[in-house]
Amino acid sequence: QVQLVESGGGSVQAGGSLRLSCAASGLDISPYCMAWFRQVPGKERERIVMIGRTSITTWTKSFEDRFAVSRDNSANTAYLTIHNLRPEDTGRYLCAAEYRYCTDRYNYWGQGTQVTVSS
């Protein structure tokens, strides 16, 4: 059974940083494009970034400045780091995996990890 499990969220003060993890089980992420999304109640889910098999990234422009993404295929985990957190970063952060290509057609989704930023 394939699972993507996000972790690393929490309640933090503005200005801090968080590193979120997306750990895969039942799946070797090596041939997968991994992506991170943010979901805020009442708003459409936003794609933050895709990181391809060779770690080429595709960012949504509004996230480029304070966010960083990486993957460790040996650990079967993708990471999203958010620097200089702001209250508007509050939301549920989800990861997804698409086989081979980054075309926004994901095979697997995680349940997400909640990030709450207070001012």
Short mmCIF file of all heavy atoms in Angstrom, two decimals, residues 7-63:
data_model
loop_
_atom_site.label_atom_id
_atom_site.label_comp_id
_atom_site.label_asym_id
_atom_site.label_seq_id
_atom_site.Cartn_x
_atom_site.Cartn_y
_atom_site.Cartn_z
N SER A 7 4.95 15.55 7.41
CA SER A 7 5.19 15.86 8.81
C SER A 7 6.00 17.15 8.89
O SER A 7 6.50 17.65 7.87
CB SER A 7 5.92 14.71 9.50
OG SER A 7 7.19 14.50 8.90
N GLY A 8 6.12 17.66 10.09
CA GLY A 8 6.95 18.84 10.31
C GLY A 8 6.16 20.12 10.50
O GLY A 8 6.74 21.17 10.78
N GLY A 9 4.86 20.04 10.33
CA GLY A 9 4.05 21.23 10.54
C GLY A 9 3.89 21.53 12.01
O GLY A 9 4.38 20.80 12.88
N GLY A 10 3.20 22.61 12.31
CA GLY A 10 2.95 22.98 13.69
C GLY A 10 2.54 24.43 13.79
O GLY A 10 2.29 25.09 12.78
N SER A 11 2.50 24.90 15.02
CA SER A 11 2.17 26.31 15.29
C SER A 11 3.47 27.04 15.57
O SER A 11 4.21 26.66 16.49
CB SER A 11 1.24 26.40 16.49
OG SER A 11 0.01 25.78 16.20
N VAL A 12 3.74 28.05 14.80
CA VAL A 12 5.01 28.76 14.91
C VAL A 12 4.78 30.27 14.88
O VAL A 12 3.74 30.74 14.40
CB VAL A 12 5.97 28.36 13.77
CG1 VAL A 12 6.35 26.90 13.89
CG2 VAL A 12 5.35 28.65 12.41
N GLN A 13 5.77 30.97 15.36
CA GLN A 13 5.74 32.43 15.32
C GLN A 13 6.22 32.90 13.96
O GLN A 13 7.08 32.27 13.31
CB GLN A 13 6.66 33.00 16.39
CG GLN A 13 6.20 32.77 17.80
CD GLN A 13 5.17 33.79 18.25
OE1 GLN A 13 5.11 34.89 17.72
NE2 GLN A 13 4.34 33.42 19.20
N ALA A 14 5.69 34.02 13.54
CA ALA A 14 6.16 34.64 12.30
C ALA A 14 7.66 34.91 12.40
O ALA A 14 8.17 35.24 13.47
CB ALA A 14 5.40 35.93 12.04
N GLY A 15 8.30 34.74 11.28
CA GLY A 15 9.74 34.97 11.21
C GLY A 15 10.57 33.71 11.32
O GLY A 15 11.75 33.71 10.96
N GLY A 16 9.96 32.65 11.80
CA GLY A 16 10.70 31.40 11.93
C GLY A 16 10.74 30.61 10.64
O GLY A 16 10.30 31.09 9.59
N SER A 17 11.26 29.41 10.74
CA SER A 17 11.35 28.52 9.58
C SER A 17 10.81 27.15 9.96
O SER A 17 10.84 26.76 11.13
CB SER A 17 12.80 28.37 9.13
OG SER A 17 13.33 29.59 8.67
N LEU A 18 10.36 26.46 8.96
CA LEU A 18 9.91 25.08 9.15
C LEU A 18 10.41 24.25 7.99
O LEU A 18 10.44 24.73 6.85
CB LEU A 18 8.38 24.99 9.16
CG LEU A 18 7.61 25.28 10.44
CD1 LEU A 18 6.12 25.17 10.15
CD2 LEU A 18 8.02 24.33 11.54
N ARG A 19 10.76 23.01 8.27
CA ARG A 19 11.04 22.07 7.20
C ARG A 19 9.98 20.97 7.26
O ARG A 19 9.87 20.27 8.28
CB ARG A 19 12.42 21.46 7.30
CG ARG A 19 12.75 20.63 6.06
CD ARG A 19 14.15 20.08 6.06
NE ARG A 19 14.27 18.88 6.86
CZ ARG A 19 15.22 17.97 6.70
NH1 ARG A 19 16.14 18.13 5.76
NH2 ARG A 19 15.27 16.92 7.48
N LEU A 20 9.24 20.87 6.22
CA LEU A 20 8.23 19.84 6.10
C LEU A 20 8.80 18.64 5.34
O LEU A 20 9.61 18.82 4.42
CB LEU A 20 7.01 20.37 5.35
CG LEU A 20 6.44 21.70 5.84
CD1 LEU A 20 5.23 22.10 5.01
CD2 LEU A 20 6.09 21.62 7.31
N SER A 21 8.38 17.48 5.74
CA SER A 21 8.83 16.25 5.09
C SER A 21 7.65 15.52 4.47
O SER A 21 6.54 15.57 4.99
CB SER A 21 9.51 15.32 6.10
OG SER A 21 10.63 15.93 6.68
N CYS A 22 7.93 14.83 3.40
CA CYS A 22 6.95 13.96 2.75
C CYS A 22 7.63 12.61 2.58
O CYS A 22 8.47 12.44 1.68
CB CYS A 22 6.56 14.54 1.40
SG CYS A 22 5.57 13.45 0.36
N ALA A 23 7.30 11.70 3.46
CA ALA A 23 7.93 10.39 3.44
C ALA A 23 7.04 9.39 2.73
O ALA A 23 5.86 9.27 3.06
CB ALA A 23 8.21 9.93 4.87
N ALA A 24 7.61 8.68 1.79
CA ALA A 24 6.85 7.70 1.02
C ALA A 24 7.11 6.30 1.55
O ALA A 24 8.25 5.96 1.92
CB ALA A 24 7.23 7.77 -0.45
N SER A 25 6.07 5.51 1.59
CA SER A 25 6.21 4.09 1.89
C SER A 25 5.44 3.31 0.85
O SER A 25 4.45 3.80 0.29
CB SER A 25 5.70 3.77 3.29
OG SER A 25 4.34 4.10 3.42
N GLY A 26 5.92 2.11 0.54
CA GLY A 26 5.30 1.32 -0.51
C GLY A 26 5.55 1.88 -1.89
O GLY A 26 4.90 1.48 -2.86
N LEU A 27 6.53 2.77 -2.00
CA LEU A 27 6.79 3.49 -3.24
C LEU A 27 8.24 3.94 -3.24
O LEU A 27 8.70 4.49 -2.25
CB LEU A 27 5.86 4.71 -3.33
CG LEU A 27 6.01 5.63 -4.52
CD1 LEU A 27 5.34 5.00 -5.72
CD2 LEU A 27 5.39 6.98 -4.24
N ASP A 28 8.91 3.73 -4.32
CA ASP A 28 10.24 4.29 -4.52
C ASP A 28 10.06 5.60 -5.26
O ASP A 28 9.59 5.62 -6.40
CB ASP A 28 11.08 3.32 -5.35
CG ASP A 28 12.43 3.88 -5.73
OD1 ASP A 28 12.75 5.03 -5.36
OD2 ASP A 28 13.18 3.16 -6.42
N ILE A 29 10.41 6.72 -4.62
CA ILE A 29 10.11 8.02 -5.24
C ILE A 29 11.05 8.36 -6.39
O ILE A 29 10.83 9.34 -7.09
CB ILE A 29 10.10 9.17 -4.21
CG1 ILE A 29 11.51 9.49 -3.70
CG2 ILE A 29 9.13 8.89 -3.08
CD1 ILE A 29 11.59 10.81 -2.93
N SER A 30 12.11 7.58 -6.57
CA SER A 30 13.12 7.93 -7.58
C SER A 30 12.52 8.27 -8.95
O SER A 30 12.93 9.26 -9.56
CB SER A 30 14.13 6.79 -7.74
OG SER A 30 14.77 6.51 -6.55
N PRO A 31 11.59 7.50 -9.48
CA PRO A 31 11.06 7.82 -10.80
C PRO A 31 9.86 8.77 -10.78
O PRO A 31 9.20 8.95 -11.80
CB PRO A 31 10.62 6.45 -11.35
CG PRO A 31 10.22 5.69 -10.14
CD PRO A 31 11.08 6.20 -9.01
N TYR A 32 9.60 9.36 -9.64
CA TYR A 32 8.42 10.21 -9.50
C TYR A 32 8.77 11.68 -9.43
O TYR A 32 9.78 12.08 -8.82
CB TYR A 32 7.62 9.84 -8.24
CG TYR A 32 6.81 8.58 -8.40
CD1 TYR A 32 7.40 7.34 -8.26
CD2 TYR A 32 5.46 8.65 -8.69
CE1 TYR A 32 6.68 6.18 -8.43
CE2 TYR A 32 4.71 7.49 -8.85
CZ TYR A 32 5.32 6.27 -8.71
OH TYR A 32 4.58 5.12 -8.87
N CYS A 33 7.91 12.48 -10.05
CA CYS A 33 7.90 13.91 -9.81
C CYS A 33 7.16 14.10 -8.49
O CYS A 33 6.06 13.58 -8.31
CB CYS A 33 7.18 14.61 -10.94
SG CYS A 33 6.89 16.36 -10.67
N MET A 34 7.77 14.88 -7.60
CA MET A 34 7.14 15.16 -6.31
C MET A 34 6.68 16.63 -6.31
O MET A 34 7.38 17.50 -6.85
CB MET A 34 8.11 14.92 -5.17
CG MET A 34 8.69 13.51 -5.14
SD MET A 34 7.44 12.23 -4.92
CE MET A 34 6.90 12.58 -3.24
N ALA A 35 5.56 16.88 -5.70
CA ALA A 35 5.04 18.24 -5.69
C ALA A 35 4.51 18.57 -4.31
O ALA A 35 4.10 17.69 -3.55
CB ALA A 35 3.93 18.40 -6.73
N TRP A 36 4.54 19.85 -4.02
CA TRP A 36 3.99 20.37 -2.77
C TRP A 36 2.86 21.35 -3.10
O TRP A 36 2.98 22.16 -4.03
CB TRP A 36 5.05 21.09 -1.95
CG TRP A 36 6.00 20.18 -1.26
CD1 TRP A 36 7.22 19.77 -1.70
CD2 TRP A 36 5.81 19.57 0.03
NE1 TRP A 36 7.80 18.94 -0.77
CE2 TRP A 36 6.96 18.81 0.31
CE3 TRP A 36 4.79 19.62 0.99
CZ2 TRP A 36 7.11 18.08 1.49
CZ3 TRP A 36 4.94 18.90 2.14
CH2 TRP A 36 6.09 18.14 2.39
N PHE A 37 1.83 21.28 -2.24
CA PHE A 37 0.66 22.13 -2.40
C PHE A 37 0.31 22.74 -1.05
O PHE A 37 0.65 22.21 0.00
CB PHE A 37 -0.55 21.31 -2.88
CG PHE A 37 -0.40 20.77 -4.26
CD1 PHE A 37 0.34 19.63 -4.50
CD2 PHE A 37 -1.01 21.41 -5.34
CE1 PHE A 37 0.49 19.13 -5.79
CE2 PHE A 37 -0.88 20.91 -6.62
CZ PHE A 37 -0.13 19.78 -6.83
N ARG A 38 -0.43 23.83 -1.12
CA ARG A 38 -0.99 24.42 0.10
C ARG A 38 -2.50 24.52 -0.08
O ARG A 38 -2.98 24.99 -1.11
CB ARG A 38 -0.41 25.80 0.38
CG ARG A 38 -0.95 26.42 1.66
CD ARG A 38 -0.16 27.66 2.03
NE ARG A 38 -0.42 28.77 1.12
CZ ARG A 38 0.35 29.85 1.06
NH1 ARG A 38 1.44 29.93 1.80
NH2 ARG A 38 0.03 30.83 0.23
N GLN A 39 -3.20 24.11 0.96
CA GLN A 39 -4.66 24.17 0.98
C GLN A 39 -5.09 25.05 2.13
O GLN A 39 -4.71 24.79 3.29
CB GLN A 39 -5.25 22.77 1.13
CG GLN A 39 -6.76 22.74 1.18
CD GLN A 39 -7.36 22.99 -0.19
OE1 GLN A 39 -7.15 22.21 -1.12
NE2 GLN A 39 -8.13 24.07 -0.32
N VAL A 40 -5.86 26.07 1.82
CA VAL A 40 -6.43 26.95 2.84
C VAL A 40 -7.94 26.85 2.72
O VAL A 40 -8.47 26.92 1.61
CB VAL A 40 -5.97 28.40 2.62
CG1 VAL A 40 -6.63 29.33 3.63
CG2 VAL A 40 -4.46 28.51 2.71
N PRO A 41 -8.64 26.67 3.85
CA PRO A 41 -10.11 26.56 3.78
C PRO A 41 -10.72 27.73 3.04
O PRO A 41 -10.36 28.90 3.27
CB PRO A 41 -10.53 26.55 5.25
CG PRO A 41 -9.35 26.00 5.97
CD PRO A 41 -8.16 26.52 5.23
N GLY A 42 -11.64 27.42 2.14
CA GLY A 42 -12.32 28.45 1.39
C GLY A 42 -11.58 28.93 0.16
O GLY A 42 -12.07 29.77 -0.58
N LYS A 43 -10.37 28.40 -0.05
CA LYS A 43 -9.58 28.79 -1.22
C LYS A 43 -9.21 27.56 -2.02
O LYS A 43 -9.18 26.44 -1.50
CB LYS A 43 -8.32 29.53 -0.80
CG LYS A 43 -8.57 30.87 -0.15
CD LYS A 43 -7.26 31.61 0.05
CE LYS A 43 -7.50 32.99 0.62
NZ LYS A 43 -6.22 33.73 0.80
N GLU A 44 -8.88 27.79 -3.28
CA GLU A 44 -8.41 26.68 -4.11
C GLU A 44 -7.03 26.22 -3.64
O GLU A 44 -6.21 27.02 -3.20
CB GLU A 44 -8.33 27.14 -5.57
CG GLU A 44 -9.67 27.18 -6.25
CD GLU A 44 -9.54 27.25 -7.76
OE1 GLU A 44 -8.47 26.91 -8.29
OE2 GLU A 44 -10.51 27.65 -8.39
N ARG A 45 -6.81 24.93 -3.80
CA ARG A 45 -5.50 24.40 -3.49
C ARG A 45 -4.47 25.01 -4.44
O ARG A 45 -4.70 25.12 -5.64
CB ARG A 45 -5.53 22.88 -3.65
CG ARG A 45 -4.26 22.17 -3.27
CD ARG A 45 -4.46 20.68 -3.32
NE ARG A 45 -4.89 20.25 -4.64
CZ ARG A 45 -5.59 19.14 -4.88
NH1 ARG A 45 -5.95 18.37 -3.87
NH2 ARG A 45 -5.93 18.83 -6.10
N GLU A 46 -3.34 25.42 -3.90
CA GLU A 46 -2.29 26.05 -4.70
C GLU A 46 -1.10 25.11 -4.81
O GLU A 46 -0.64 24.57 -3.81
CB GLU A 46 -1.77 27.32 -4.01
CG GLU A 46 -2.73 28.44 -3.84
CD GLU A 46 -2.06 29.59 -3.13
OE1 GLU A 46 -2.02 29.59 -1.89
OE2 GLU A 46 -1.57 30.50 -3.83
N ARG A 47 -0.61 24.97 -6.02
CA ARG A 47 0.64 24.25 -6.17
C ARG A 47 1.79 25.18 -5.84
O ARG A 47 1.88 26.28 -6.37
CB ARG A 47 0.80 23.70 -7.59
CG ARG A 47 1.97 22.72 -7.70
CD ARG A 47 2.23 22.30 -9.12
NE ARG A 47 2.80 23.40 -9.89
CZ ARG A 47 2.58 23.58 -11.19
NH1 ARG A 47 1.78 22.77 -11.86
NH2 ARG A 47 3.16 24.59 -11.83
N ILE A 48 2.68 24.71 -5.01
CA ILE A 48 3.85 25.50 -4.62
C ILE A 48 5.01 25.22 -5.57
O ILE A 48 5.61 26.14 -6.13
CB ILE A 48 4.28 25.17 -3.18
CG1 ILE A 48 3.14 25.52 -2.21
CG2 ILE A 48 5.58 25.88 -2.82
CD1 ILE A 48 3.35 24.99 -0.80
N VAL A 49 5.32 23.96 -5.73
CA VAL A 49 6.50 23.59 -6.51
C VAL A 49 6.39 22.14 -6.93
O VAL A 49 5.74 21.33 -6.25
CB VAL A 49 7.79 23.80 -5.67
CG1 VAL A 49 7.81 22.91 -4.45
CG2 VAL A 49 9.06 23.61 -6.49
N MET A 50 7.01 21.84 -8.06
CA MET A 50 7.23 20.47 -8.48
C MET A 50 8.74 20.25 -8.53
O MET A 50 9.48 21.13 -9.00
CB MET A 50 6.64 20.22 -9.87
CG MET A 50 5.15 20.43 -9.96
SD MET A 50 4.47 19.98 -11.58
CE MET A 50 5.10 21.32 -12.60
N ILE A 51 9.18 19.09 -8.08
CA ILE A 51 10.59 18.73 -8.21
C ILE A 51 10.66 17.41 -8.94
O ILE A 51 10.14 16.39 -8.48
CB ILE A 51 11.31 18.71 -6.84
CG1 ILE A 51 12.77 18.31 -7.01
CG2 ILE A 51 10.58 17.83 -5.82
CD1 ILE A 51 13.62 18.59 -5.76
N GLY A 52 11.28 17.44 -10.09
CA GLY A 52 11.31 16.28 -10.96
C GLY A 52 12.32 15.24 -10.53
O GLY A 52 13.02 15.39 -9.52
N ARG A 53 12.40 14.20 -11.33
CA ARG A 53 13.30 13.08 -11.01
C ARG A 53 14.75 13.51 -10.91
O ARG A 53 15.52 12.93 -10.15
CB ARG A 53 13.16 12.01 -12.10
CG ARG A 53 11.81 11.32 -12.12
CD ARG A 53 11.72 10.40 -13.32
NE ARG A 53 11.60 11.15 -14.56
CZ ARG A 53 11.96 10.69 -15.75
NH1 ARG A 53 12.48 9.49 -15.87
NH2 ARG A 53 11.80 11.43 -16.83
N THR A 54 15.14 14.50 -11.68
CA THR A 54 16.53 14.99 -11.65
C THR A 54 16.66 16.25 -10.82
O THR A 54 17.63 16.98 -10.95
CB THR A 54 17.02 15.24 -13.08
OG1 THR A 54 16.15 16.20 -13.70
CG2 THR A 54 17.02 13.95 -13.89
N SER A 55 15.66 16.50 -10.00
CA SER A 55 15.63 17.66 -9.10
C SER A 55 15.47 18.99 -9.81
O SER A 55 15.73 20.04 -9.20
CB SER A 55 16.86 17.68 -8.17
OG SER A 55 16.81 16.57 -7.29
N ILE A 56 15.05 18.96 -11.04
CA ILE A 56 14.67 20.21 -11.70
C ILE A 56 13.36 20.66 -11.08
O ILE A 56 12.44 19.86 -10.89
CB ILE A 56 14.53 20.01 -13.22
CG1 ILE A 56 15.90 19.74 -13.83
CG2 ILE A 56 13.88 21.22 -13.87
CD1 ILE A 56 15.87 19.39 -15.29
N THR A 57 13.29 21.96 -10.77
CA THR A 57 12.11 22.46 -10.07
C THR A 57 11.29 23.39 -10.95
O THR A 57 11.81 24.09 -11.81
CB THR A 57 12.53 23.21 -8.80
OG1 THR A 57 13.43 24.26 -9.14
CG2 THR A 57 13.19 22.28 -7.80
N THR A 58 10.02 23.38 -10.69
CA THR A 58 9.09 24.31 -11.32
C THR A 58 8.29 24.97 -10.21
O THR A 58 7.53 24.30 -9.50
CB THR A 58 8.13 23.58 -12.28
OG1 THR A 58 8.90 22.88 -13.25
CG2 THR A 58 7.19 24.57 -12.96
N TRP A 59 8.48 26.27 -10.07
CA TRP A 59 7.88 27.00 -8.97
C TRP A 59 6.67 27.79 -9.44
O TRP A 59 6.67 28.35 -10.54
CB TRP A 59 8.88 27.99 -8.37
CG TRP A 59 9.95 27.35 -7.58
CD1 TRP A 59 11.19 26.97 -8.02
CD2 TRP A 59 9.90 27.02 -6.19
NE1 TRP A 59 11.91 26.43 -6.99
CE2 TRP A 59 11.14 26.45 -5.85
CE3 TRP A 59 8.93 27.15 -5.20
CZ2 TRP A 59 11.43 26.00 -4.57
CZ3 TRP A 59 9.22 26.72 -3.93
CH2 TRP A 59 10.45 26.15 -3.62
N THR A 60 5.70 27.89 -8.57
CA THR A 60 4.70 28.93 -8.72
C THR A 60 5.36 30.20 -8.19
O THR A 60 5.93 30.21 -7.09
CB THR A 60 3.43 28.60 -7.92
OG1 THR A 60 2.87 27.40 -8.47
CG2 THR A 60 2.42 29.72 -7.98
N LYS A 61 5.28 31.26 -8.98
CA LYS A 61 6.13 32.43 -8.74
C LYS A 61 6.00 33.00 -7.34
O LYS A 61 7.00 33.41 -6.73
CB LYS A 61 5.81 33.51 -9.77
CG LYS A 61 6.81 34.63 -9.81
CD LYS A 61 6.66 35.48 -11.05
CE LYS A 61 7.67 36.60 -11.07
NZ LYS A 61 9.05 36.11 -11.00
N SER A 62 4.82 33.01 -6.80
CA SER A 62 4.61 33.64 -5.49
C SER A 62 5.30 32.90 -4.36
O SER A 62 5.41 33.43 -3.25
CB SER A 62 3.12 33.78 -5.20
OG SER A 62 2.49 32.51 -5.25
N PHE A 63 5.79 31.71 -4.62
CA PHE A 63 6.44 30.92 -3.59
C PHE A 63 7.95 30.86 -3.74
O PHE A 63 8.64 30.24 -2.92
CB PHE A 63 5.89 29.49 -3.59
CG PHE A 63 4.44 29.39 -3.20
CD1 PHE A 63 3.47 29.27 -4.18
CD2 PHE A 63 4.05 29.43 -1.88
CE1 PHE A 63 2.12 29.17 -3.84
CE2 PHE A 63 2.71 29.33 -1.53
CZ PHE A 63 1.74 29.20 -2.51
#
